[in-house]
Amino acid sequence: MSRLDSFIRRLTAQRDILNAIVELVDGREGPVLEFGLGNGRTYDHLREQFPDRRIIAFDREVRSYSSSTPPAENMVTGDIRQSGQDFLGIGAALAHADIGTGHDDIDAITLTWLPQLMEGVLAPGGIAVSGLPLERDALEPLPLPPGIKEGRYFIYRRR
Ligand code: SAM
């Protein structure tokens, strides 16, 4: 598979999952956390899916399109490993992390802290969506929507 095919499949998986989890999140209290704003594509999609909810985005710095940039009070800059700690216990209904790099050595370091952070920011019953696997007893893996290959993206419910 070419890198272009792989990229298209990853974005398709993201979109299909972010659409599929809406019904799991609706009816739950709490904000949405977007770890890895990037250029704001998935932030913009989340904003469409959850128009009445606070969405807090995180990245090292703001590099998103101006139309997909959160208001200053909902934008947290810096390394998520540290900046995310201030949000432990916030009771998020949904946390989405798109901070994998495709480089195993870098992602292995991210995986030393991301699963705990995702568990810690979610309310019980809250949903985690991640491009990297989150192995935590408190995070129950959920099935992917039809058509998405196992291991491409991951969904969990906080027990
Ligand atoms: N989902 C985004 C979109 O649709 O536009 C793309 C996210 S991009 C793949 C990953 C982003 O995560 C990058 O902008 C990168 O700076 C950010 N990132 C990765 N690791 C980070 C960390 N430890 N702290 C802060 N930002 C991080």
Side-chain angles (χ1 to χ4, degrees), residues 128-144:
V129 174
S130 174
L132 294 173
L134 306 174
E135 288 183 14
R136 295 287 287 177
D137 288 346
L139 296 175
E140 174 197 1
L142 297 184
L144 296 170

Side-chain angles (χ1 to χ4, degrees), residues 18-159:
L18 294 179
N19 289 344
I21 51 82
V22 171
E23 64 183 19
L24 300 177
V25 174
D26 274 349
R28 296 195 167 277
E29 300 281 315
V32 170
L33 304 191
E34 168 77 328
F35 290 121
L37 176 66
N39 72 30
R41 268 189 303 250
T42 48
Y43 169 76
D44 190 44
H45 199 74
L46 288 167
R47 213 168 36 173
E48 271 191 17
Q49 299 293 9
F50 301 105
D52 301 322
R53 215 175 270 263
R54 183 179 182 203
I55 304 176
I56 308 168
F58 299 74
D59 210 306
R60 291 202 169 85
E61 56 187 3
V62 179
R63 290 184 298 110
S64 48
Y65 292 174
S66 55
S67 60
S68 303
T69 298
E73 66 272 20
N74 289 336
M75 182 70 225
V76 180
T77 53
D79 189 333
I80 293 163
R81 184 176 188 166
Q82 281 89 42
S83 64
Q85 303 303 312
D86 292 341
F87 294 80
L88 293 174
I90 192 171
L94 169 67
H96 172 225
D98 181 18
I99 62 172
T101 63
H103 297 285
D104 290 347
D105 50 343
I106 299 174
D107 292 346
I109 295 172
T110 301
L111 285 172
T112 63
W113 54 267
L114 182 64
Q116 296 92 312
L117 177 64
M118 294 289 270
E119 176 186 334
V121 297
L122 285 170
I127 301 296
V129 174
S130 174
L132 294 173
L134 306 174
E135 288 183 14
R136 295 287 287 177
D137 288 346
L139 296 175
E140 174 197 1
L142 297 184
L144 296 170
I148 299 178
K149 196 173 156 215
E150 291 295 322
R152 194 174 291 283
Y153 230 74
F154 303 87
I155 313 176
Y156 303 87
R157 183 189 283 116
R158 168 88 153 86
R159 296 185 206 274

